[in-house]
Amino acid sequence: MNSPIRLISPKIPDFSSFSQRAQEIFASGLLTNNGPYVQQYEQQLADYLGVPCLSFANGTMALMLALKGLNLTGRVIVPSFTFAATVHALVWAGLEPQFVDIDPQTFTIEPQKVEEAITGDTSAIIGVHVFGNPCAIDELQSIAKKHNLKLIFDAAHAFGSTYKGKPIGTFGDVEMFSTHATKTLITAEGGILSTTNPELLVYLKQARNFGFPEGNVEDTIVPGTNAKLSELHAVIGLDSFSDFSRILSHKQGLVAQYTEVLGGIPGITSQYVPDHSTSAYLYFPIIVDEHQFGMSRDQLHQFLMENGIMTRKYFYPPVHKHTSYKGYHSLHLPNTDHISSHILCLPMHADLTPAMVEQIGDVVRKAHQHYKD
Ligand code: T4K
C-alpha cells in the first residue's frame, strides 16, 4: 500500500543552510534574547507586511500579550468556531469570552451578530481569519469604531492572505500569526504580532522579556513573562520565509484543482472566499451534507483514513462546547454548531502533488458512489 497522504507536511528548510547558521550561533554563544537572527527575521517580516512585527515563543502567548497590552477589561467578543487557543488567550489575559456566531459560507465571525452582542462591558472584538480566509474586515472596523472597541485579528492561519489588495497583518489594532510547525511559514514553535501602535510595541517588547525595558536588566517596568523566540527558531523562520511565496502559489494551484475535482459531487461544498480576498489556505475545508452525499462527515473521515488519506475535523467541537467552557454549553450558535459538525479539512501542504489531489477527489467520489450503489 502507498504511504498515506498527510494532512500537513511541514516544509522543513534545507538542513545544510540551517546547520551553517546554527554553528555560527553556537560559536557566538548567544542563543536567545533578541539576538541578530531574531532581529533579521523581524525585519524581513516587517518588510514583507509593511508594518512593524515582533516575534514570540508561540502564537497563543503573543495573542495573550497583545490583549494585555491593549488594557482591555470585561468582555471580548470572539467566535467559538476557532482553535481553543484564541479563547484561552483572552481568559489568561483576565477577560471574559462573549461567543458570537459565524457566517455559514465564509466560516468567519458574523458582523451583524457582533453588533447585536455588544454590551456596556464589551471592550474588544477578536476576529479569526479561519483557515486563512479574511474576516469581513471593513464591517468589523466600522463596528469597532462606532462603539469605541479595540479590534484584534487572530491571523494564526493567514500569513500570506490579502484583503482588498492589502496583506493580512495590516488591519485592526493588532494581528497575530502562528508560525507553528503546521503552518506555511514556520519556526517550529512561534508567533508574530504586527501593529502600528507605538505604545503597544514598546509594551510588547518589554512584556515578552519579563518586563525589562531595553538596556535595563535590573528593574522591570511591567509584570512581563518570557515569550521570546530563540535564535535557532529565528533561523528556521528565515529559511522558511525564503521558500514561502513558492509554497503559497503551489497551494493556490492545489485549491484550483481541489475545486475542480470535487466540483459536482453532490453534498460537498467548500469555504466561500470573497472576490476581494485571497486566502493562504492552511487546509482545504469541505462541508459534507449527509443527505445529498450519502455519508456523514464522520463516515467520510473514516473512509478517507481507510484509503490512506489523513483529514481533521477542525474545529470540532466548537470552543463553547469544550469541557473547559462548561458554563457556555447551552449557548445557541446554530451556524457554528452546523459547520463544526459537518466540516472536514483535507490535506494541504507543499509536498501535496496534483496527482494526490486527483486521488483524494477519486476517493471522495468513490465514497458517494458506494452509497448510491
Ligand atoms: N489561533 C488559531 C486560530 C490557531 O489555529 C492556533 C493554532 C492558535 C491561535 C495558536 O497558535 P500557536 O500557539 O500554536 O502558535 C495544531 C497546532 O499545534 C496549532 O498551532 C494550530 N493552531 C492547530 C489548528 O493545529 P493539533 O494538536 O491539532 O496538531 P497536531 O499536532 O495534531 O498536528 C496536525 C497535523 O500536522 C498532524 O497530521 C501531524 C502534522 N504535524 C504536526 C507537527 C506538530 C507534522 O507533520 N509535523 C509536526 O511537527 O494543533
Side-chain angles (χ1 to χ4, degrees):
M1 191 179 159
N2 292 335
S3 48
I5 299 180
R6 298 170 63 168
L7 175 73
I8 288 279
S9 174
K11 192 66 196 160
I12 316 278
D14 176 52
F15 188 71
S16 60
S17 158
F18 174 79
S19 69
Q20 203 183 337
R21 285 167 164 177
Q23 265 174 11
E24 276 171 39
I25 292 169
F26 288 1
S28 78
L30 186 64
L31 300 182
T32 185
N33 285 8
N34 201 25
Y37 282 114
V38 162
Q39 290 179 32
Q40 200 182 320
Y41 172 59
E42 290 179 347
Q43 191 54 53
Q44 281 212 355
L45 297 170
D47 291 345
Y48 179 79
L49 294 179
V51 288
C53 291
L54 293 176
S55 62
F56 293 84
N58 57 64
T60 309
M61 288 288 280
L63 184 58
M64 194 184 97
L65 292 179
L67 297 166
K68 281 260 184 208
L70 289 170
N71 296 314
L72 304 178
T73 55
R75 293 166 150 206
V76 171
I77 290 174
V78 67
S80 170
F81 188 71
T82 183
F83 192 57
T86 316
V87 186
H88 291 346
L90 76 86
V91 171
W92 276 77
L95 300 159
E96 194 188 325
Q98 188 170 3
F99 292 107
V100 157
D101 213 353
I102 51 164
D103 178 283
Q105 313 292 326
T106 63
F107 314 161
T108 60
I109 198 164
E110 167 68 70
Q112 201 191 318
K113 298 275 187 258
V114 168
E115 186 141 35
E116 286 165 13
I118 295 170
T119 66
D121 282 349
T122 310
S123 61
I125 304 163
I126 301 182
V128 181
H129 304 311
V130 177
F131 309 131
N133 192 17
C135 294
I137 295 178
D138 282 352
E139 289 83 345
L140 293 173
Q141 254 162 355
S142 53
I143 293 169
K145 196 167 167 209
K146 182 169 153 200
H147 297 273
N148 198 22
L149 304 175
K150 297 291 183 202
L151 180 60
I152 299 107
F153 289 111
D154 178 335
H157 307 168
F159 196 84
S161 297
T162 64
Y163 179 80
K164 299 192 175 171
K166 282 177 66 186
I168 291 302
T170 59
F171 298 97
D173 290 282
V174 57
E175 296 206 61
M176 179 280 281
F177 299 103
S178 168
T179 54
H180 180 259
T182 48
K183 307 297 182 289
T184 311
L185 175 67
I186 61 167
T187 54
E189 289 281 1
I192 302 165
L193 289 176
S194 59
T195 179
T196 53
N197 177 336
E199 289 93 41
L200 183 59
L201 282 166
V202 170
Y203 169 82
L204 292 169
K205 279 186 191 168
Q206 294 168 353
R208 71 178 174 180
N209 185 27
F210 307 103
F212 288 117
E214 241 167 308
N216 179 340
V217 289
E218 289 173 353
D219 184 21
T220 60
I221 304 284
V222 291
T225 185
N226 181 358
K228 290 167 276 141
L229 192 76
S230 82
E231 286 289 273
L232 292 165
H233 289 89
V235 165
I236 300 176
L238 283 165
D239 283 339
S240 173
F241 191 80
S242 65
D243 206 16
F244 175 75
S245 299
R246 184 193 66 79
I247 299 174
L248 197 61
S249 62
H250 175 70
K251 281 187 163 190
Q252 269 144 11
L254 297 173
V255 168
Q257 203 197 349
Y258 260 129
T259 309
E260 201 183 309
V261 301
L262 299 174
I265 302 181
I268 299 292
T269 50
S270 189
Q271 185 181 30
Y272 171 65
V273 178
D275 287 346
H276 56 244
S277 295
T278 62
S279 172
Y281 276 97
L282 184 60
Y283 304 104
F284 191 84
I286 56 168
I287 301 296
V288 185
D289 177 329
E290 180 172 355
H291 300 295
Q292 292 180 44
F293 183 68
M295 264 187 193
S296 69
R297 181 271 308 269
D298 290 353
Q299 288 169 323
L300 180 60
H301 170 71
Q302 184 64 28
F303 190 82
L304 286 166
M305 192 149 63
E306 284 160 11
N307 282 275
I309 297 159
M310 302 297 132
T311 63
R312 277 294 274 271
K313 304 170 200 174
Y314 288 123
F315 299 104
Y316 175 80
V319 184
H320 76 285
K321 295 272 173 69
H322 282 213
T323 306
S324 50
Y325 294 99
K326 273 197 199 87
Y328 299 88
H329 284 192
S330 61
L331 274 181
H332 184 57
L333 301 172
N335 295 336
T336 298
D337 286 334
H338 180 81
I339 297 300
S340 180
S341 52
H342 292 82
I343 197 161
L344 200 57
C345 286
L346 302 183
M348 181 58 94
H349 51 84
D351 296 331
L352 193 70
T353 63
M356 290 171 177
V357 174
E358 200 71 42
Q359 187 185 333
I360 294 167
D362 286 349
V363 175
V364 175
R365 192 167 286 106
K366 196 167 96 188
H368 171 64
Q369 207 63 41
H370 182 70
Y371 147 78
K372 267 181 40 198
D373 294 344

